[in-house]
């Protein structure tokens, strides 16, 4: 490793304080989600996180201490939650669904606001809102992985 890479690594590692196991999503275990379980997680506010699952397009809200606050089903419009991101400016959730080949904008209560077709993406698995660059990034998990940029006027 060259000295520049080593220095970068040392800078990053000084922030790492170790791994802490927080909690188990018992409902996903009880329903045997297995590898169709947790696919996306996004910090919301007030020590709450959204957790999305591939199976059933379920969206949970958890406190950081592991207490389940609520569960919302997005199955009225989505087949799965392959990835999600919370947009604090719009107070929206952005959800990507690799089965239906779409991405959605919805409220934090799960109400659908907009749908975008991404049928040209083989396996859309992650999403990130980038208001600084007026775009949304979507990652594709395929044999030749790609990152797509969708331009928006925020």
């Amino acid at each position: 490793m060259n000295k520049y890479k080593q220095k970068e690594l040392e800078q990053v590692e000084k922030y790492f304080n170790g791994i802490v196991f927080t909690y188990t999503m018992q409902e996903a275990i009880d329903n045997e989600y297995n590898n169709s379980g947790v696919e996306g997680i996004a910090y919301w506010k007030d020590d709450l996180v959204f957790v999305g699952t591939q199976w059933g397009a379920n969206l949970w809200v958890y406190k950081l201490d592991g207490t389940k606050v609520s569960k919302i089903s997005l199955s009225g419009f989505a087949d799965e939650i392959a990835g999600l991101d919370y947009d604090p400016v719009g107070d929206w959730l952005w959800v990507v669904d690799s089965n239906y080949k779409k991405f959605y904008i919805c409220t934090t209560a799960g109400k659908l606001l907009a749908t975008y077709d991404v049928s040209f993406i083989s396996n859309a698995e992650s999403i990130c809102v980038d208001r600084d660059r007026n775009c949304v990034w979507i990652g594709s998990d395929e044999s030749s992985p790609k990152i797509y940029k969708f331009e928006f006027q925020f």
Side-chain angles (χ1 to χ4, degrees), residues 23 25 27 44 48-52 58-63 66-73 93 108-110:
Y23 52 88
M25 295 185 59
E27 187 173 345
W44 185 15
L48 298 171
V49 293
F50 288 103
V51 179
N58 292 311
L59 182 69
W60 284 277
V61 176
Y62 276 91
K63 291 182 180 178
T67 305
K68 183 171 82 171
V69 176
S70 64
K71 176 184 170 186
I72 303 164
S73 175
L93 282 173
T108 56

Side-chain angles (χ1 to χ4, degrees), residues 70-109:
S70 64
K71 176 184 170 186
I72 303 164
S73 175
L74 303 185
S75 64
F77 57 87
D79 188 52
E80 69 168 354
I81 298 172
L84 65 102
D85 192 20
Y86 172 68
D87 173 11
V89 176
D91 195 32
W92 301 327
L93 282 173
W94 295 68
V95 178
V96 67
D97 181 336
S98 61
N99 288 343
Y100 284 170
K101 298 188 179 298
K102 299 185 183 303
F103 73 90
Y104 313 100
I105 304 170
C106 62
T107 67
T108 56

